[in-house]
Amino acid sequence: RRDVLRIRVFYWIRGFRQAMVDTTVAERNNDEVAVTFKIAEGAPTLVRDVHIRQLDSVLTTAQVNRVVDLKKGEPFNLIKLDSTVSRLRAALQDRGYANARVDTATAVDTAAHQGEATITMNPRRLVHVGPIGAGSVTNV
């Protein structure tokens, strides 16, 4: 039962929310069995749109588009959404916004098999690091 649940979660996270899993168990020998999993993916939940909001325009549209993995018309893959969030946060941190926040909100229309994601970037304050010297530690 746990394996069936794991497979369903595997597909759900990748945009196949209607995936069905069936099993067949056949005894082989005294202490062996053969387990067959039959998977019907079903219709994928597709990305209707991805909205990117910047509370302060730190990144250009081109910089944002380069790191967004979740694409319109593709399966609503939560791993790609999470990767996008990580890359956007890293891009902000690379520009000196060490405490940047990148938040997401999702909405899924189960009847239409479509979902939307809104990603909000808040760079917060620019962090300045002073000179680094041997034996000195400064809290920022």
Side-chain angles (χ1 to χ4, degrees):
R1 290 183 190 186
R2 284 190 294 194
D3 289 335
V4 169
L5 180 60
R6 285 182 185 114
I7 292 169
R8 289 190 65 208
V9 168
F10 177 91
Y11 278 89
W12 193 91
I13 287 171
R14 287 160 178 81
F16 293 86
R17 294 171 177 237
Q18 306 300 318
M20 300 297 293
V21 181
D22 193 15
T23 59
T24 304
V25 179
E27 289 190 32
R28 295 285 185 197
N29 294 321
N30 292 343
D31 57 349
E32 291 182 8
V33 295
V35 179
T36 303
F37 294 94
K38 286 180 68 177
I39 302 165
E41 290 179 342
T45 299
L46 300 177
V47 177
R48 180 183 306 155
D49 210 347
V50 178
H51 307 280
I52 308 289
R53 293 181 48 222
Q54 289 193 71
L55 300 184
D56 191 1
S57 298
V58 173
L59 303 176
T60 67
T61 301
Q63 290 169 325
V64 170
N65 290 340
R66 262 195 303 273
V67 298
V68 174
D69 282 339
L70 200 59
K71 306 287 186 204
K72 187 175 182 175
E74 292 182 355
F76 197 77
N77 187 321
L78 298 178
I79 294 170
K80 287 186 176 186
L81 178 60
D82 187 55
S83 294
T84 296
V85 167
S86 294
R87 288 183 180 128
L88 287 170
R89 187 177 297 116
L92 290 167
Q93 290 171 344
D94 287 348
R95 283 155 186 78
Y97 296 90
N99 297 314
R101 290 195 57 166
V102 181
D103 297 312
T104 61
T106 60
V108 174
D109 181 344
T110 55
H113 299 285
Q114 293 184 333
E116 293 188 6
T118 301
I119 301 170
T120 304
M121 294 182 287
N122 182 356
R124 300 167 99 182
R125 291 186 307 203
L126 185 61
V127 173
H128 297 278
V129 177
I132 299 172
S136 65
V137 176
T138 305
N139 290 329
V140 179

